[in-house]
């Protein structure tokens, strides 16, 4: 019943940046997959076996399309359907929980996802570090960020996050120096409200701390 045709169409639409049509394609695939699962498989009939993946794909799309509540619903469903810990599901579920203000739960999911990818530093570890800052675990967050910094030392967002942890740890001078390592044009993003709240969507504690840094160096504040 064309489940995978609709799913593949959704993947193509995401690659082309047409997110609303992709959402519709994934939704059609999900509905057809559910219908398939309610029917008995006949000879030569392929039953849909990837419903969790369809919810994961739509949830990830919605994370990037300004629909955090709907994304959280999809990714919770993907997690249940997966039936076992899955690093890809958990890191996206953690992100959805983070965007919905569920920081403690997000921290737990990020921690499990990191434990499953511990031999390879991933960019989502930075998100986990900032969530730890949000819940008051400055040391744990900074220890994690240092591993990201070792892997991506020149990335602007990593330098900005490092400046935040230095400042939160009591050394604002070092935080300002780290922040000024970011090239001027890229550094301007971190005093831009739309970029900070919509594009990278840092948690409130990180935004507040960064605001102290950007104000101190004369760049203004994003909040």
């Amino acid at each position: 019943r064309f489940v995978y045709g609709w799913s593949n169409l959704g993947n193509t639409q995401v690659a082309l940046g047409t997110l609303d049509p992709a959402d519709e394609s994934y939704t059609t695939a999900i509905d057809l997959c559910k219908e398939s699962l309610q029917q008995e498989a006949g000879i030569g009939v392929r039953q849909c076996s990837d419903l969790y993946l369809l919810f994961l794909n739509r949830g990830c799309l919605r994370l990037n399309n300004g629909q955090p509540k709907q994304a959280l619903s999809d990714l919770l469903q993907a997690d249940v359907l997966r039936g076992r810990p899955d690093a890809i599901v958990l890191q996206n579920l953690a992100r959805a929980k983070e965007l919905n203000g569920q920081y403690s739960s997000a921290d737990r999911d990020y921690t499990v996802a990191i434990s499953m990818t511990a031999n390879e530093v991933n960019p989502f570890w930075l998100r986990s570090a900032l969530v730890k800052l949000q819940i008051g675990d400055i040391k744990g967050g900074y220890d994690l960020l240092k591993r990201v910094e070792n892997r991506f030392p020149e990335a602007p967002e990593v330098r900005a996050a490092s400046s935040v942890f230095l400042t939160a740890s009591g050394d604002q001078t070092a935080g300002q120096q780290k922040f000024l390592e970011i090239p001027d044009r890229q550094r301007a993003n971190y005093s831009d409200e739309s970029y900070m709240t919509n594009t990278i969507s840092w948690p409130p504690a990180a935004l507040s701390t960064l605001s102290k840094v950007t104000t101190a160096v004369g760049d203004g504040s994003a909040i």
Side-chain angles (χ1 to χ4, degrees):
R1 291 294 300 275
F2 311 112
V3 173
Y4 297 100
W6 284 105
S7 177
N8 290 334
L9 175 60
N11 294 340
T12 300
Q13 290 166 325
V14 168
L16 294 172
T18 53
L19 300 187
D20 290 336
D23 191 297
E24 294 176 4
S25 296
Y26 285 140
T27 298
T28 300
I30 287 169
D31 290 342
L32 289 171
C33 185
K34 288 179 177 178
E35 182 181 320
S36 168
L37 291 172
Q38 291 173 352
Q39 300 173 351
E40 292 186 9
I43 297 175
V45 176
R46 181 185 179 189
Q47 251 189 338
C48 176
S49 59
D50 297 321
L51 184 56
Y52 95 89
L53 187 58
L54 300 176
F55 274 108
L56 173 63
N57 287 342
R58 192 175 70 176
C60 291
L61 180 155
R62 290 175 170 181
L63 272 180
N64 294 298
N65 201 29
Q67 299 172 282
K69 290 183 179 179
Q70 295 90 333
L72 178 58
S73 176
D74 278 356
L75 292 164
L76 285 168
Q77 187 74 358
D79 186 44
V80 170
L81 290 167
R82 185 60 169 142
R84 59 181 174 81
D86 182 295
I88 300 298
V89 173
L90 286 171
Q91 65 184 265
N92 285 287
L93 177 57
R95 177 75 168 134
K97 288 179 177 179
E98 176 191 343
L99 292 178
N100 283 279
Q102 300 177 18
Y103 298 109
S104 294
S105 185
D107 178 57
R108 290 191 292 271
D109 287 340
Y110 274 133
T111 297
V112 176
I114 287 171
S115 74
M116 300 175 73
T117 60
N119 292 327
E120 182 179 354
V121 175
N122 284 276
F124 81 87
W125 290 23
L126 184 147
R127 305 294 324 181
S128 177
L130 294 178
V131 166
K132 288 184 182 298
L133 176 70
Q134 180 66 35
I135 63 175
D137 184 7
I138 297 174
K139 183 180 184 304
Y142 196 18
D143 286 345
L144 183 59
L145 182 68
K146 287 175 182 176
R147 296 184 64 186
V148 180
E149 193 172 19
N150 286 335
R151 178 67 178 83
F152 307 103
E154 297 183 0
E157 189 174 3
V158 174
R159 285 175 166 168
S162 181
S163 76
V164 163
F165 276 100
L166 286 165
T167 301
S169 299
D171 194 344
Q172 184 164 338
T173 299
Q176 291 170 207
Q177 291 172 343
K178 175 59 69 174
F179 185 69
L180 290 172
E181 291 178 8
I182 304 172
D184 291 351
R185 182 175 296 180
Q186 294 170 324
R187 200 175 72 235
N189 287 328
Y190 295 91
S191 55
D192 181 284
E193 181 179 3
S194 177
Y195 181 81
M196 295 305 299
T197 59
N198 298 323
T199 303
I200 61 174
S201 304
W202 276 17
L207 287 175
S208 177
T209 306
L210 182 66
S211 178
K212 296 177 184 178
V213 176
T214 58
T215 301
V217 301
D219 283 358
S221 173
I223 59 173

